């Protein structure tokens, strides 16, 4: 009974209870935070891996159908919060030699799908050509390598490129790639038969526009209308397929893989889905896309000055554009 009226004892008891409650709250809060952070990390890692896989599949599919004579050499993934970045290098095979051609990055994630660039470049020298005015000066990539250009067979240009005429000025010990534009569309077999056996044909440019359109006005490309009177295609902007695989060896059924990549892209959920559907319809028509629908507008060949000289004066070659030039070894 005396303790009931002992205020000091009551204060001690209340303080002890408060301390216990405080520690209990701290411990519960800490446990909840640990569980939340741990669970959040697991969820973030799972979501990021899914987004990364989706972005990488989309990325690889695009490079199976676009970009002349170029491969993805390596990719480094840097995951973040509900997204991340892919840093990648691009390469080309020039007569068996691996040549680095690009070093870029892609951001991916929720509400994020962007090319990442560092610094600024002069578009007078670097970047992608898109009009006949650009023919007045040669453009290069970030490594100082020449840009290849492709010319439509059905457009009468005021000016094209004839880089085969430069062969006598190039060292005999150099090897290089050359973009060839044809005078008309050919089947894959016709194109390969017409090209000399002395050169190595590594890539084929596939027709992806409708020649029946009014080419004094607009044609469609990448879902947008472009002035077709003076348009040509940069090596970064053409559709086609490599005759080599990612290891630089002769590919098996490359045309089938090209068709499969377009069909796959048309069914993937990505920002490029409409473009793949356009390709599917433009190349294949209303009855669907197959290998037999492919029309070849040009090619990329590799060789040295001696072997490439066999291409001179061939009447089916409308234009030629030299790209990467490198030492043989």
């Amino acid at each position: 009974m005396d303790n009931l009226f002992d205020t000091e004892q009551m204060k001690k008891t209340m303080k002890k209870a408060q301390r216990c409650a405080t520690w209990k709250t701290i411990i519960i809060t800490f446990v909840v935070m640990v569980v939340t952070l741990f669970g959040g990390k697991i969820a973030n890692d799972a979501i990021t891996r899914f987004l990364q896989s989706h972005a990488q599949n989309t990325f690889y599919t695009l490079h199976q159908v676009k970009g002349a004579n170029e491969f993805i050499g390596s990719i480094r993934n840097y995951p973040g919060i509900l997204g991340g970045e892919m840093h990648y290098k691009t390469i080309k095979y020039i007569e068996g030699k691996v040549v680095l051609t690009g070093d870029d990055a892609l951001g991916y994630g929720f509400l994020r799908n962007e090319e990442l660039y560092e610094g600024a470049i002069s578009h007078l020298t670097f970047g992608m050509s898109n009009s006949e005015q650009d023919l007045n000066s040669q453009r290069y990539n970030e490594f100082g390598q020449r840009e290849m250009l492709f010319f439509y067979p059905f457009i009468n240009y005021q000016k094209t490129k004839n880089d085969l005429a430069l062969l006598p000025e190039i060292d005999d010990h150099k090897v290089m790639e050359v973009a060839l534009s044809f005078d008309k569309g050919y089947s894959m077999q016709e194109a390969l038969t017409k090209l000399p056996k002395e050169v190595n044909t590594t890539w084929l440019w596939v027709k992806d526009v409708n020649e029946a359109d009014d080419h004094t006005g607009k044609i469609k490309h990448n879902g947008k209308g472009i002035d077709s009177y003076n348009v040509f295609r940069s090596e970064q902007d053409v559709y086609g397929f490599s005759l080599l695989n990612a290891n630089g060896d002769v590919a098996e059924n490359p045309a089938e893989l090209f068709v499969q990549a377009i069909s796959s892209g048309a069914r993937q959920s990505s920002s490029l889905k409409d473009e793949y559907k356009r390709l599917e319809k433009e190349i294949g028509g209303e009855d669907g896309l197959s290998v037999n629908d492919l029309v070849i507008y040009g090619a990329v060949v590799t060789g040295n000055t001696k072997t490439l000289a066999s291409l001179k004066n061939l009447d089916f070659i409308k234009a030629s554009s030299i790209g990467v030039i490198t030492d043989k070894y």
Side-chain angles (χ1 to χ4, degrees):
M1 291 293 293
D2 292 338
N3 290 338
L4 292 175
F5 301 99
D6 188 343
T7 56
E8 291 299 324
Q9 184 63 34
M10 290 179 64
K11 288 180 180 179
K12 291 179 180 179
T13 301
M14 291 178 64
K15 286 182 179 179
K16 184 178 180 180
Q18 288 177 345
R19 284 196 299 270
C20 290
T22 300
W23 279 108
K24 184 177 180 180
T25 301
I26 292 173
I27 292 171
I28 292 174
T29 302
F30 177 76
V31 171
V32 170
M33 287 180 61
V34 169
V35 172
T36 301
L37 290 174
F38 186 70
K41 184 179 185 308
I42 293 176
N44 179 70
D45 290 349
I47 293 172
T48 300
R49 279 196 299 270
F50 171 78
L51 294 172
Q52 173 189 312
S53 176
H54 178 74
Q56 194 161 310
N57 287 340
T58 302
F59 184 70
Y60 271 111
T61 300
L62 178 63
H63 279 79
Q64 281 184 292
V65 301
K66 191 174 185 181
N69 207 33
E70 194 167 68
F71 295 90
I72 302 301
S74 65
I75 288 183
R76 291 182 181 272
N77 287 299
Y78 297 90
I81 299 175
L82 299 180
E85 295 179 3
M86 290 190 302
H87 292 240
Y88 62 94
K89 299 181 185 297
T90 54
I91 62 170
K92 291 184 177 183
Y93 291 103
I94 310 296
E95 293 293 285
K97 181 178 179 179
V98 177
V99 180
L100 181 65
T101 58
D103 190 356
D104 298 295
L106 176 72
Y108 62 89
F110 287 117
L111 304 178
R112 184 185 184 192
N113 183 12
E114 56 185 334
E115 291 281 352
L116 305 178
Y117 301 96
E118 294 183 3
I121 60 175
S122 167
H123 289 284
L124 296 175
T125 305
F126 300 100
M128 186 171 66
S129 301
N130 53 35
S131 73
E132 283 184 283
Q133 286 70 32
D134 293 326
L135 295 178
N136 296 327
S137 60
Q138 176 66 49
R139 289 202 177 192
Y140 302 85
N141 65 16
E142 60 186 293
F143 296 105
Q145 297 159 340
R146 295 167 62 96
E147 173 197 32
M148 293 188 296
L149 299 177
F150 294 82
F151 296 81
Y152 288 112
F154 53 82
I155 294 180
N156 293 319
Y157 296 94
Q158 296 177 5
K159 183 180 181 181
T160 59
K161 290 179 74 72
N162 179 25
D163 283 355
L164 291 175
L166 301 176
L167 291 178
E169 303 175 24
I170 301 174
D171 193 302
D172 291 340
H173 296 94
K174 299 288 186 179
V175 291
M176 68 206 79
E177 61 176 354
V178 184
L180 304 177
S181 302
F182 298 156
D183 61 339
K184 64 178 183 178
Y186 294 93
S187 70
M188 177 179 171
Q189 189 59 45
E190 286 174 334
L192 294 177
T193 300
K194 294 181 77 67
L195 290 167
K197 291 182 172 56
E198 298 92 288
V199 300
N200 291 318
T201 305
T202 60
W203 190 88
L204 296 178
W205 175 25
V206 175
K207 167 191 172 184
D208 69 305
V209 296
N210 187 354
E211 294 184 20
D213 288 345
D214 179 8
H215 295 292
T216 60
K218 301 285 185 178
I219 58 175
K220 288 281 188 177
H221 179 57
N222 283 342
K224 299 178 181 179
I226 52 176
D227 188 351
S228 65
Y229 175 72
N230 60 356
V231 74
F232 49 79
R233 301 285 278 275
S234 165
E235 65 174 86
Q236 304 170 47
D237 199 37
V238 282
Y239 291 101
F241 56 92
S242 176
L243 301 179
L244 306 177
N245 60 28
N247 296 320
D249 301 320
V250 176
E252 294 184 10
N253 305 317
E256 286 85 347
L257 294 176
F258 175 77
V259 169
Q260 290 172 13
I262 291 177
S263 299
S264 175
R267 285 150 187 79
Q268 289 178 353
S269 177
S270 74
S271 59
L272 298 171
K273 185 174 183 177
D274 288 342
E275 177 63 2
Y276 285 116
K277 286 186 173 181
R278 183 193 74 82
L279 291 173
E280 199 172 42
K281 182 178 179 181
E282 200 69 69
I283 299 174
E286 297 295 339
D287 58 345
L289 176 60
S290 70
V291 172
N292 294 330
D293 296 316
L294 302 183
V295 176
I296 307 303
Y297 271 173
V300 174
V301 297
T302 63
N304 56 29
T305 55
K306 182 179 179 180
T307 58
L308 292 172
S310 62
L311 296 168
K312 288 184 177 181
N313 303 319
L314 295 179
D315 56 4
F316 69 94
I317 297 178
K318 179 175 182 175
S320 58
S321 177
I322 293 177
V324 173
I325 304 174
T326 185
D327 294 322
K328 185 175 181 179
Y329 301 106

